[in-house]
Amino acid sequence: MAALRYAGLDDTDSEDELPPGWEERTTKDGWVYYANHTEEKTQWEHPKTGKRKRVAGDLPYGWEQETDENGQVFFVDHINKRTTYLDPRLAFTVDDNPTKPTTRQRYDGSTTAMEILQGRDFTGKVVLVTGANSGIGFETAKSFALHGAHVILACRNLSRASEAVSRILEEWHKAKVEAMTLDLAVLRSVQHFAEAFKAKNVSLHVLVCNAGTFALPWGLTKDGLETTFQVNHLGHFYLVQLLQDVLCRSSPARVIVVSSESHRFTDINDSSGKLDLSRLSPPRSDYWAMLAYNRSKLCNILFSNELHRRLSPRGVTSNAVHPGNMMYSAIHRNSWVYKLLFTLARPFTKSMKPCMIGHTCDPNTRN
C-alpha cells in the first residue's frame, strides 16, 4: 500500500487487497498480472478473487510510460517530478469481462475540462481553438494539449497567444502547442490564416470556434460590416468554409461553435416573417449591443446545425454549445455597465475551469 500512496493513489476495495508476498504489475499493453515473491511465480488471475483485470483508459495527464535498461516498464510523473514502477491506473482496473454499466449523467456544472478528458488520449490529433489566449478558449486548449493533442491557438494578439503557450508548457514541457495570428474582424486575415494552416500539411480533427466579443459600441470592420456580427459569426463561418476540405480529409472530425442561451431572445426575421439581412449588420441608428450579440449567437446555432447536416455524411460533425449561465470571463471588458453586473454576479457564476466544451470536442464520440 505504500507504493500506492507514493503514486498518489488511494487504497482499493478490500476484496482486491493482495495477500502478503504478492505484488500487482502491468504489461506494456495494459494487462494486470500478479507476482508472488515467496514462491517466485506469476499469474494472470487475482490470488483472492480469481479475476483477470486490465487497466482502464490512458495514463493521467503529465504521466509517461518508459522502459528501463532491463526492459521493465516504469512511469514518470512530469507534473510532480517523480518516478515509480507502479502503474498509476491500477486504482482504476476493470474486469476482463465487465458488466455493462447503467446509464447515468456523467457530467454537471462543476465538472472541469480536465475531468471530462480524463482517460482520453489525443496523441496524433490536431486541435484548433480560436480566441485561446484566455478564458474558455485557454482552458480548452490547455486541456487538449495536456492530453497529447497538437493544439494551435488562433488569436488576434500573437504576443498574448505566445504567453498562453508558455503557460501551458510550464505545466507540461512536452505539450505540443503553438500560436498563430487570426483576426476575425478582417476577412483577409482569416484567409491568410487558412493559407498558413494548410501550408503546414497537417490534419484538423477538432475546430473550436470560441473567439467572440460582447457589448461593443457600434462600429464597422475594414470589410464594412458591423463588428459583433463579423467577429462572432461571419469570421468563423468563413474560416470553416476555407478549412472544410481539411476537416473532411481528417474525418472523423468535429466543429464546435460556442454560442449562448441568449440566442433565444432575438430574431432575424422582419414583421412578415421573412429573413431580414439588414438586422445582422445594422446601421448605427438601429444598433443595440446586447441585441447584436444575441443575433450573432443565433447565427452560430443556425450555422452549426446546417454545417452538421451537410458534412456529417462525410464524417464531420458539428455542435453548438452554451458554456454556462453568467460564466465570469473577460468578454464583458468593453462595457463598464456589464463589468459591474458581472462583478456583482461573480460569486454565483461558474469559473473558467468547469467547462463543458471538452465533452463535445472528441471527434470519436457522437452527441
Side-chain angles (χ1 to χ4, degrees):
M1 293 304 110
L4 279 172
R5 287 193 294 270
Y6 175 75
L9 305 174
D10 295 326
D11 197 357
T12 57
D13 295 337
S14 57
E15 180 189 55
D16 293 326
E17 187 173 342
L18 293 171
W22 287 85
E23 181 185 359
E24 196 172 33
R25 298 177 180 175
T26 56
T27 63
K28 287 184 178 180
D29 53 358
W31 289 101
V32 178
Y33 69 98
Y34 304 90
N36 186 324
H37 295 291
T38 303
E39 301 180 11
E40 297 184 351
K41 68 175 185 178
T42 60
Q43 63 186 52
W44 293 109
E45 296 79 15
H46 190 285
K48 287 179 64 176
T49 66
K51 296 178 180 178
R52 292 192 177 198
K53 294 191 173 186
R54 57 184 174 82
V55 292
D58 303 297
L59 290 169
Y61 87 91
W63 285 80
E64 187 174 27
Q65 178 179 294
E66 298 185 8
T67 306
D68 63 18
E69 57 185 9
N70 297 318
Q72 188 168 354
V73 176
F74 67 97
F75 302 88
V76 180
D77 179 1
H78 294 287
I79 303 298
N80 298 302
K81 303 185 186 308
R82 57 186 179 181
T83 301
T84 176
Y85 282 90
L86 187 71
D87 191 324
R89 299 168 294 178
L90 283 173
F92 310 102
T93 55
V94 295
D95 294 342
D96 190 6
N97 296 307
T99 57
K100 187 176 181 179
T102 56
T103 302
R104 63 184 179 87
Q105 182 172 339
R106 298 175 58 190
Y107 311 116
D108 58 27
S110 63
T111 305
T112 67
M114 291 300 298
E115 291 171 342
I116 291 171
L117 294 183
Q118 178 64 45
R120 296 179 184 267
D121 183 7
F122 282 87
T123 302
K125 302 294 185 182
V126 180
V127 178
L128 169 60
V129 185
T130 67
N133 61 286
S134 63
I136 299 171
F138 175 75
E139 292 298 332
T140 301
K142 180 181 74 172
S143 299
F144 275 115
L146 295 182
H147 283 83
H150 174 192
V151 182
I152 297 173
L153 283 66
C155 306
R156 178 176 56 86
N157 189 315
L158 187 59
S159 175
R160 292 182 181 178
S162 298
E163 291 175 3
V165 168
S166 299
R167 283 153 55 197
I168 294 173
L169 291 174
E170 285 176 3
E171 293 208 29
W172 189 31
H173 70 284
K174 290 189 176 182
K176 193 171 183 180
V177 57
E178 62 179 301
M180 293 179 66
T181 302
L182 170 65
D183 188 351
L184 293 166
V186 182
L187 295 181
R188 182 62 62 86
S189 173
V190 178
Q191 182 180 4
H192 287 167
F193 172 87
E195 292 171 352
F197 180 87
K198 290 181 177 180
K200 293 178 176 292
N201 292 317
V202 296
S203 300
L204 179 57
H205 301 99
V206 179
L207 169 55
V208 184
C209 299
N210 163 78
T213 190
F214 176 75
L216 284 180
W218 183 87
L220 298 178
T221 66
K222 292 181 179 180
D223 302 295
L225 297 166
E226 192 277 313
T227 305
T228 301
F229 170 65
Q230 180 166 330
V231 172
N232 290 4
H233 170 65
L234 192 62
H236 282 127
F237 176 90
Y238 189 37
L239 177 65
V240 173
Q241 299 309 305
L242 293 174
L243 297 179
Q244 179 175 309
D245 56 337
V246 183
L247 286 164
C248 292
R249 288 200 306 268
S250 308
S251 65
R254 177 157 295 187
V255 177
I256 306 299
V257 183
V258 181
S259 184
S260 170
E261 275 291 313
S262 65
H263 80 277
R264 301 181 185 276
F265 308 111
T266 187
D267 64 76
I268 53 178
N269 294 332
D270 59 22
S271 57
S272 64
K274 295 182 179 180
L275 179 63
D276 185 358
L277 294 178
S278 66
R279 295 191 177 194
L280 301 180
S281 183
R284 185 195 300 266
S285 58
D286 296 334
Y287 180 78
W288 179 32
M290 190 70 220
L291 195 57
Y293 177 80
N294 294 353
R295 285 171 175 163
S296 70
K297 297 293 108 177
L298 176 58
C299 289
N300 288 160
I301 292 179
L302 295 174
F303 165 58
S304 178
N305 289 347
E306 179 62 17
L307 183 68
H308 181 83
R309 187 187 71 81
R310 295 189 183 193
L311 295 190
S312 57
R314 301 175 64 183
V316 180
T317 56
S318 179
N319 294 84
V321 300
H322 169 53
N325 289 318
M326 296 295 289
M327 177 176 280
Y328 189 88
S329 70
I331 196 171
H332 58 275
R333 60 187 177 273
N334 298 300
S335 169
W336 69 267
V337 175
Y338 287 108
K339 279 185 180 180
L340 177 61
L341 175 61
F342 275 71
T343 300
L344 293 174
R346 185 168 189 175
F348 311 101
T349 63
K350 295 167 63 177
S351 69
M352 286 298 101
K353 291 186 177 180
C355 174
M356 298 180 65
I357 295 179
H359 177 53
T360 60
C361 280
D362 188 346
N364 295 309
T365 61
R366 300 189 68 86
N367 296 304

